[in-house]
Amino acid sequence: MNIDITTIVIIAITSLVSFKGFSDFSFFERYKFNVGALRRGEQIRMLSSGFLHADTVHLFFNMFTLYFFAPVVINNLGRVNFLLIYFGSLIAGNLLSFTFHKNEYHYSAIGASGAVTGVLYAAILLWPDMPLMLILIPIPIKGWIFGILYLLFSIYGMKNRLGNIGHSAHFGGAIGGYVLALFMKPSLLTDDVFTVVVLAIPIIILFVLEKTGKLQ
């Protein structure tokens, strides 16, 4: 698989900033996503938190996932649109996290997961039949099925506060990738109505649960 220069640059910068954060606690604290700091006006954290990671495993997993799904988006939409999806999804993920945790002043998060999930969801929308394999299910499944299962699991994780994972950032990133990909390639709305509709189902479920107060 040929890796585009755009992807290489994102991986390189994210890795450099993450390693800086590993060894510099004050740097890490200054730029991580934190509700209290954001409410004080430190909006840079909406973006900077996407370049920090908890450890090398966290960093590797995100960049490895980006390595596999970025080419689908770049080949279909181009480099500029890929960057818009990446950073748009990063911000969308952090905005959703802020919305759900706005009264938790100590809530913090880091990682490129929102951005990467947005790229992943956009890639699935562009190539719904791509074969993907879950770790616990060693049988290839179609991308659109994986996308639905992934977001349904994220809803479950958000509702039950499962693990030390920013499920809301993942979900917000997926929404960002979905909306931006449709905006950039509106022909999907007529050429592949099925995929557009089924990938919207978890998003609709999330907002219904939120409006009815059943997400908490």
Side-chain angles (χ1 to χ4, degrees):
M1 181 187 297
N2 293 326
I3 182 168
D4 189 87
I5 184 63
T6 312
T7 309
I8 293 174
V9 170
I10 288 177
I11 292 175
I13 294 175
T14 304
S15 298
L16 288 172
V17 175
S18 291
F19 275 95
K20 168 69 174 174
F22 295 158
S23 59
D24 188 335
F25 181 74
S26 62
F27 177 85
F28 184 89
E29 290 293 309
R30 189 181 311 126
Y31 294 111
K32 71 180 182 181
F33 177 95
N34 175 264
V35 171
L38 285 166
R39 295 191 66 161
R40 290 194 300 270
E42 298 178 27
Q43 303 305 322
I44 187 63
R45 294 172 184 258
M46 282 284 187
L47 184 63
S48 62
S49 60
F51 292 91
L52 296 169
H53 287 80
D55 50 41
T56 54
V57 174
H58 186 204
L59 171 64
F60 174 79
F61 183 79
N62 274 334
M63 296 301 98
F64 187 69
T65 304
L66 179 65
Y67 167 80
F68 274 104
F69 290 98
V72 178
V73 178
I74 293 172
N75 292 337
N76 279 275
L77 301 176
R79 291 174 179 168
V80 173
N81 285 335
F82 163 73
L83 289 172
L84 289 174
I85 286 176
Y86 186 86
F87 289 105
S89 297
L90 170 60
I91 293 172
N94 281 338
L95 282 173
L96 191 66
S97 290
F98 183 80
T99 299
F100 286 146
H101 300 282
K102 60 180 178 294
N103 294 320
E104 302 172 42
Y105 281 71
H106 296 292
Y107 181 86
S108 299
I110 35 86
S113 300
V116 172
T117 304
V119 171
L120 183 154
Y121 218 63
I124 290 173
L125 188 60
L126 294 164
W127 184 15
D129 290 331
M130 73 168 74
L132 298 175
M133 190 175 296
L134 299 174
I135 295 176
L136 298 178
I137 307 175
I139 302 173
I141 61 175
K142 292 185 176 181
W144 65 269
I145 297 176
F146 174 88
I148 292 173
L149 293 176
Y150 183 86
L151 289 197
L152 289 177
F153 174 75
S154 293
I155 291 175
Y156 175 80
M158 291 163 67
K159 184 175 177 60
N160 295 279
R161 294 182 176 266
L162 188 65
N164 188 27
I165 300 172
H167 296 285
S168 54
H170 293 183
F171 205 104
I175 294 174
Y178 176 84
V179 171
L180 288 169
L182 285 178
F183 178 79
M184 294 167 183
K185 193 172 182 179
S187 59
L188 290 168
L189 292 166
T190 54
D191 295 343
D192 196 352
V193 177
F194 174 79
T195 301
V196 172
V197 171
V198 296
L199 289 181
I201 291 174
I203 298 173
I204 295 171
I205 290 174
L206 174 73
F207 284 103
V208 169
L209 289 174
E210 171 63 14
K211 288 297 182 181
T212 57
K214 295 180 179 179
L215 192 61
Q216 300 300 325

